[in-house]
Amino acid sequence: MVAGLARRFGDLDLAEDAAADAYVTALERWTRDGVPPNPGAWLTTTATRKAIDRLRREALRQGKYKAAQMLSDDTPPEPTGPVEDDRLRLVFICCHPVLAMDARVALTLRLLGGLTVAEIAHAFLVPETTMARRITRAKARIKAAHVPYRVPSATDIRERLAGVLAVVYLIFNEAYLASAGDDPVRADLGAEAIRLGRLLHGLLPDEGEVTGLLALMLLADARRTARVSHTGELVTLGEQDRGAWGRALIAEGHALVRERIDAIAAGAAPPGRYQLLAAINAVHTDAPSARDTDWSQIVALYDRLVGVDPSAIVRLNRAIAVAEVDGPDVALAEIDRLGDTLDGYHAFHATRADLLRRVGRGSESREAYDRALGLAENPAERAYLARRRDQLV
């Protein structure tokens, strides 16, 4: 509804306020009169009238005539189904290049994720007033830049899709292992990211990276309930109870990965970052036990991923797989070359600590665990790192 109002009136603030007013009116009237036969249409009509009333008041004060134009709008009513072009439009508006990445994330969560300003502020560790200003500035920036409220053209999609996917992936990463706070895993935030991923996949089913991102999130989320112990400690992939994994999510994720494999075999573009990450997760979730994992295949997939995304984080994760194929000494040599870039990243020191432990360098391993603990904020990770450090002889 917000997306449809934004298209019609060209103002995100007006659209959001009118939708909220319509729900307030529904709470008052439906309690008294009962729910109407078509609640979606009722809400849309009421919200439209609320917006027109507000424009009328502004027209009286400011001499505007936009309300009269809206009253004469004979555009057919928009469908109110869960996946329509208005939503696609709003996703791409929220992720317009005129906005900084943090603003794109915040605005997407607010308008499409359905989270309150307070929830978004909590997720990203800033005061509520700061987040409110950030969202307000983002909407004002969109208005000042005259971003059109229309179905994205092919050019728009090419320019913005990478940003859209990056925003959804950032949201999921924050949910997968919260950067701070009392909850080590944000199931609610993860659900919102997957919902956005499903929306994008439904609207862009032939975009390989869209399919890859959805598969990646499904396969990672399938392991969520096994990732933290009853004592609140992180459980690594090799130690997780695979019987607790969500088999329906795994089956869906594997089907999407196979869909992309078939498409690429039929001549589609080579896999990008999200498709390769999804394939890696598919190998992990296909193994009945940790010792049955096909690490050679995972290293091969990481080799391809390095060609697409040669970042230090990707190289770190590749080294973890290399340790399982060529041994911890080889992996440690690769990881040590990343020290200058990743010195402030707790996972770098945690990985290095584990490899040092495996090669018998206990005192160096303890130092690395201490460094990782000094950088980690997630309570489940801290509990795991402290236990591993204290187990050193």
Side-chain angles (χ1 to χ4, degrees):
M1 186 163 67
V2 171
L5 293 166
R7 174 196 55 78
R8 181 170 182 179
F9 295 99
D11 187 322
L12 286 175
D13 277 324
L14 177 62
E16 198 173 12
D17 289 346
D21 288 344
Y23 275 96
V24 170
T25 302
L27 285 171
E28 295 169 349
R29 295 188 183 177
W30 295 2
T31 302
R32 182 184 68 241
D33 304 329
V35 178
N38 190 335
W42 190 99
L43 286 165
T44 300
T45 300
T46 301
T48 301
R49 289 172 178 166
K50 297 286 186 182
I52 290 171
D53 287 345
R54 177 170 164 178
L55 287 172
R56 279 174 172 159
R57 292 193 297 270
E58 291 181 357
L60 289 173
R61 291 195 303 268
Q62 303 173 22
K64 296 180 179 178
Y65 298 99
K66 193 171 184 179
Q69 296 172 356
M70 296 302 147
L71 281 170
S72 62
D73 186 353
D74 58 359
T75 303
E78 296 289 332
T80 57
V83 180
E84 301 293 345
D85 284 345
D86 275 339
R87 284 199 177 191
L88 176 60
R89 178 184 302 111
L90 195 52
V91 170
F92 280 84
I93 288 170
C94 288
C95 294
H96 194 281
V98 299
L99 300 179
M101 184 59 75
D102 60 351
R104 296 181 202 180
V105 175
L107 195 57
T108 304
L109 279 173
R110 181 70 190 95
L111 295 180
L112 282 155
L115 275 68
T116 67
V117 174
E119 288 171 330
I120 300 169
H122 178 265
F124 293 96
L125 310 175
V126 297
E128 184 175 348
T129 53
T130 299
M131 183 54 68
R133 287 194 297 269
R134 185 178 297 174
I135 293 172
T136 298
R137 284 196 300 268
K139 288 190 278 191
R141 179 80 169 160
I142 284 173
K143 190 172 184 178
H146 303 291
V147 175
Y149 291 77
R150 55 174 170 74
V151 176
S153 66
T155 300
D156 289 332
I157 289 176
R158 284 194 298 272
E159 290 178 348
R160 301 184 207 174
L161 184 57
V164 170
L165 297 178
V167 163
V168 175
Y169 191 41
L170 280 172
I171 294 168
F172 184 78
N173 275 343
E174 177 63 24
Y176 183 75
L177 202 60
S179 55
D182 296 332
D183 297 325
V185 177
R186 287 289 308 276
D188 55 343
L189 209 57
E192 296 298 342
I194 290 173
R195 188 167 71 88
L196 290 174
R198 291 190 188 281
L199 171 64
L200 285 168
H201 183 251
L203 295 164
L204 299 168
D206 297 325
E207 287 287 343
E209 285 293 82
V210 172
T211 303
L213 178 57
L214 177 57
L216 170 60
M217 293 190 295
L218 292 171
L219 292 171
D221 195 58
R223 304 194 302 269
R224 172 170 41 85
T225 56
R227 292 181 60 247
V228 179
S229 72
H230 68 279
T231 60
E233 181 181 317
L234 180 71
V235 181
T236 59
L237 180 60
E239 299 174 331
Q240 287 174 16
D241 175 9
R242 300 189 175 216
W245 288 357
R247 291 296 158 186
L249 291 175
I250 289 174
E252 184 180 0
H254 283 189
L256 291 172
V257 170
R258 287 193 297 272
E259 174 187 315
R260 291 311 308 157
I261 291 172
D262 292 342
I264 292 166
R273 179 189 182 207
Y274 299 113
Q275 292 172 79
L276 289 168
L277 286 170
I280 290 167
N281 274 266
V283 175
H284 279 302
T285 51
D286 191 48
S289 66
R291 63 177 175 273
D292 295 318
T293 302
D294 188 346
W295 287 105
S296 295
Q297 185 179 2
I298 290 175
V299 170
L301 287 166
Y302 269 118
D303 287 340
R304 296 190 67 177
L305 183 57
V306 167
V308 174
D309 177 12
S311 67
I313 298 294
V314 170
R315 292 180 181 275
L316 173 66
N317 289 327
R318 178 187 178 278
I320 294 171
V322 166
E324 303 301 323
V325 176
D326 299 324
D329 283 309
V330 176
L332 191 58
E334 292 192 14
I335 284 178
D336 281 342
R337 289 196 287 270
L338 304 173
D340 291 342
T341 304
L342 297 179
D343 185 59
Y345 182 44
H346 74 279
F348 165 76
H349 295 284
T351 302
R352 188 167 179 271
D354 182 63
L355 293 173
L356 287 166
R357 176 191 61 80
R358 290 168 65 179
V359 298
R361 293 158 63 179
S363 60
E364 293 176 79
S365 177
R366 183 179 296 276
E367 290 177 5
Y369 275 123
D370 285 338
R371 176 68 172 145
L373 277 163
L375 294 169
E377 297 287 345
N378 186 281
E381 281 189 294
R382 290 184 57 82
Y384 168 76
L385 292 169
R387 179 176 64 83
R388 297 294 284 179
R389 179 198 59 190
D390 295 343
Q391 286 176 338
L392 290 170
V393 179

